[in-house]
Amino acid sequence: MKTLIVHAHPEPRSLNGSLKDLAVSTLESAGHEVRVSDLYAMGWKAVVDATDYGPAASSPLKVAHDSGRAFEAGTLTPDVLAEQEKLLWADTIVFQFPLWWYTMPAILKGWVDRVFTYRFAYGVGEHSDTKYGERYGEGTLAGKRALLSVTVGGPEAHYGARGINGPIDDLLFPIQHGILYYPGVDVLPPFVVHGADRLSEEDYATAAKAYEQRLLTLESTEPIAFRRQNFGDYELPSLRLRDGLEPAGRTGFGLHVRG
Amino acid sequence: MKTLIVHAHPEPRSLNGSLKDLAVSTLESAGHEVRVSDLYAMGWKAVVDATDYGPAASSPLKVAHDSGRAFEAGTLTPDVLAEQEKLLWADTIVFQFPLWWYTMPAILKGWVDRVFTYRFAYGVGEHSDTKYGERYGEGTLAGKRALLSVTVGGPEAHYGARGINGPIDDLLFPIQHGILYYPGVDVLPPFVVHGADRLSEEDYATAAKAYEQRLLTLESTEPIAFRRQNFGDYELPSLRLRDGLEPAGRTGFGLHVRG
């Protein structure tokens, strides 16, 4: 297994730093190859702007168009090219981050905004009245798997089916489905540590043991059964889910998961 | 009305730039006071790190603790202090941004991560077994209103109740509920422009007219009826929504909206 760990926390001696280190040692001890993109340590540029496309940038700037043209011409900046190369190298991608305001920290969002360019992660395949791209289950990163390893401040109940923050699976849906499944990545159920700011040594030991177990079963864990776009579940061109495919009463994001 | 517009697009001559300019001119023409935080023009620092807390930063860095201590001591960086001051000045906040990968661009997430500090936007009020803070309907920004003005690439059907991307209200829930309602802001239904990359002049004229209408009725528009945390709808300490409050069959994020 070739694993890329994308890590987004400013403090190496944090819970997130420890979980990242644990992932590296656990996977390497099991004989796997591991590469790490430690975004803070790399000084990752978080913000998309015209400098990403050099003198060839359009004026006015068109982010999708310019990023696709630079991708195809091989003129993306070296930092972005290196991350795309790591993604193509990996068969498994682990994202380690704290949930800040119910989504990823800005530095990680900026990794997505800059690395997931047009023609690489979106705008792939035929777009016409009868087809709307190779996405949601197909695309450049098809065949790879990903795991979100996330720390959250509140207790588990706040993220339950009726919890005030909303269900954790729904909070992560825009990332797991919208960012990862979109370019073809199969997404495993997330690994979530709750009460991250109040973890005792014993709590950490329990979490670490559970995480090791998840890491050592990455290849055999069943991905979330998101529905593929181009295999009959959706009407065209609306990309509306056909009626009657879901269990009675299911609504919202859950519609896009089979079974 | 005192309106703060937080704007997040790298190109002034873009659809987002035009909508921001339209908001300024429409509101000022109607006699309102307007201030703009144009994050790209300001060179906004998107990434939380130890430099945000100066020599007083903890080692190891503790983001929540350090941001709260700096807030209370008045030692946050001038850029963050200025944004907090604008938020306290405003009675209405408009966010103008493109939906990139189903959420806000990194620069705007970084504005939230850095400006919404502990003790200002979270960690406010008593936290005990019988109370879990003043949040979700109470907090520092209670009494203010916000509007998301969002441009999206895909057509409206893709964001419908059964659309492949998920319902737009659910995609925006982590922002509208988790970021804005959390510190007390009442959130108005979003203004969304679809097919943003393919807008004709006529399409733009239609969108602009609709947006003007929304801007001129900001004070009279009914906010989204999110449930307040501390007024009986949630059990303690689980903050689980009491059974039977919702219409039959409602699940997911929609549970946290009344009626």
Side-chain angles (χ1 to χ4, degrees):
Chain A
M1 198 165 63
K2 294 174 181 172
T3 304
L4 170 63
I5 301 174
V6 184
H7 174 59
H9 197 284
E11 174 54 63
R13 293 163 294 169
S14 60
L15 173 58
N16 277 270
S18 297
L19 292 171
K20 182 264 290 173
D21 292 342
L22 179 67
V24 173
S25 61
T26 301
L27 292 168
E28 287 187 343
S29 297
H32 301 298
E33 289 178 74
V34 180
R35 293 169 74 178
V36 178
S37 289
D38 182 339
L39 300 184
Y40 272 96
M42 293 155 70
W44 181 259
K45 173 180 180 281
V47 168
V48 171
D49 58 28
T51 67
D52 287 341
Y53 315 116
S58 302
S59 179
L61 179 68
K62 292 178 189 294
V63 171
H65 174 264
D66 286 347
S67 75
R69 198 171 56 172
F71 170 73
E72 288 177 335
T75 56
L76 288 166
T77 55
D79 60 346
V80 170
L81 281 171
E83 296 307 299
Q84 291 186 341
E85 184 272 319
K86 289 179 206 172
L87 284 167
L88 295 172
W89 166 85
D91 48 49
T92 309
I93 310 143
V94 174
F95 293 88
Q96 180 65 55
F97 62 95
L99 200 71
W100 284 353
W101 292 104
Y102 302 107
T103 186
M104 38 174 70
I107 199 169
L108 181 52
K109 181 62 187 358
W111 181 89
V112 175
D113 287 347
R114 296 184 59 234
V115 174
F116 277 37
T117 66
Y118 196 63
R119 299 300 183 207
F120 177 75
Y122 68 111
V124 172
E126 180 189 335
H127 284 69
S128 66
D129 281 350
T130 56
K131 187 157 183 193
Y132 197 86
E134 290 164 15
R135 55 174 206 164
Y136 293 124
E138 298 177 288
T140 302
L141 304 180
K144 303 176 187 295
R145 343 185 100 206
L147 170 74
L148 303 189
S149 173
V150 181
T151 66
V152 304
E156 188 163 7
H158 296 193
Y159 297 87
R162 299 180 71 81
I164 193 163
N165 296 335
I168 190 74
D169 287 343
D170 286 351
L171 291 168
L172 297 179
F173 181 91
I175 302 173
Q176 297 190 142
H177 181 266
I179 293 174
L180 293 170
Y181 191 61
Y182 188 113
V185 180
D186 282 324
V187 183
L188 307 182
F191 176 73
V192 182
V193 178
H194 298 93
D197 292 329
R198 294 168 214 82
L199 227 56
S200 67
E201 279 192 36
E202 197 183 337
D203 293 337
Y204 178 72
T206 304
K209 198 169 169 187
Y211 191 37
E212 281 174 330
Q213 197 52 35
R214 290 297 310 273
L215 291 162
L216 292 173
T217 53
L218 285 174
E219 290 166 297
S220 58
T221 301
E222 199 64 35
I224 300 169
F226 291 129
R227 295 177 188 278
R228 303 173 77 190
Q229 172 176 292
N230 295 325
F231 296 83
D233 284 0
Y234 295 92
E235 295 164 358
L236 274 168
S238 67
L239 291 178
R240 178 184 180 279
L241 184 68
R242 291 183 194 284
D243 289 317
L245 293 184
E246 71 277 14
R250 189 179 291 182
T251 60
F253 290 151
L255 287 176
H256 306 287
V257 179
R258 296 189 306 274
Chain B
M1 199 164 63
K2 294 174 180 171
T3 303
L4 171 63
I5 301 175
V6 183
H7 175 59
H9 197 283
E11 175 54 63
R13 294 162 294 170
S14 60
L15 173 58
N16 276 271
S18 297
L19 292 171
K20 181 263 290 174
D21 292 342
L22 179 66
V24 173
S25 60
T26 301
L27 292 169
E28 288 186 342
S29 297
H32 301 297
E33 290 178 72
V34 181
R35 294 169 74 178
V36 178
S37 289
D38 182 338
L39 300 184
Y40 272 96
M42 292 155 71
W44 181 258
K45 173 180 180 281
V47 168
V48 172
D49 58 27
T51 67
D52 287 341
Y53 315 115
S58 301
S59 179
L61 178 69
K62 292 179 190 296
V63 171
H65 175 264
D66 286 347
S67 75
R69 199 171 55 172
F71 171 72
E72 289 179 334
T75 56
L76 288 165
T77 55
D79 59 347
V80 170
L81 281 172
E83 296 307 299
Q84 291 187 342
E85 184 272 319
K86 289 179 205 170
L87 283 168
L88 295 173
W89 166 84
D91 47 50
T92 310
I93 310 143
V94 173
F95 293 88
Q96 180 65 56
F97 61 95
L99 200 70
W100 283 353
W101 293 103
Y102 302 108
T103 187
M104 38 175 69
I107 200 169
L108 181 52
K109 181 62 188 356
W111 180 89
V112 175
D113 288 348
R114 294 185 60 235
V115 174
F116 277 37
T117 66
Y118 196 64
R119 299 300 185 205
F120 177 75
Y122 68 110
V124 172
E126 180 189 337
H127 284 70
S128 66
D129 282 350
T130 56
K131 186 155 184 194
Y132 197 87
E134 289 164 15
R135 54 176 207 164
Y136 292 123
E138 298 177 287
T140 302
L141 303 180
K144 302 176 187 296
R145 343 185 100 206
L147 171 74
L148 302 189
S149 174
V150 181
T151 66
V152 304
E156 189 163 6
H158 295 192
Y159 296 88
R162 299 180 71 82
I164 193 164
N165 296 335
I168 190 73
D169 287 342
D170 286 351
L171 292 167
L172 297 179
F173 181 91
I175 302 173
Q176 298 190 142
H177 181 265
I179 293 174
L180 295 171
Y181 190 62
Y182 188 113
V185 180
D186 282 324
V187 183
L188 307 183
F191 177 73
V192 182
V193 178
H194 297 93
D197 293 329
R198 295 168 214 81
L199 228 55
S200 67
E201 279 193 36
E202 195 183 339
D203 293 337
Y204 178 73
T206 304
K209 197 169 170 188
Y211 191 37
E212 281 174 330
Q213 196 54 35
R214 290 297 309 274
L215 291 162
L216 293 172
T217 53
L218 285 174
E219 290 165 296
S220 58
T221 301
E222 199 64 34
I224 300 170
F226 291 129
R227 295 178 189 278
R228 302 173 78 191
Q229 173 177 290
N230 296 324
F231 296 83
D233 284 0
Y234 294 93
E235 295 164 359
L236 275 168
S238 67
L239 291 178
R240 179 183 178 280
L241 184 68
R242 291 184 193 285
D243 288 320
L245 293 184
E246 71 277 14
R250 188 179 292 182
T251 60
F253 290 151
L255 287 177
H256 305 288
V257 180
R258 294 190 306 274

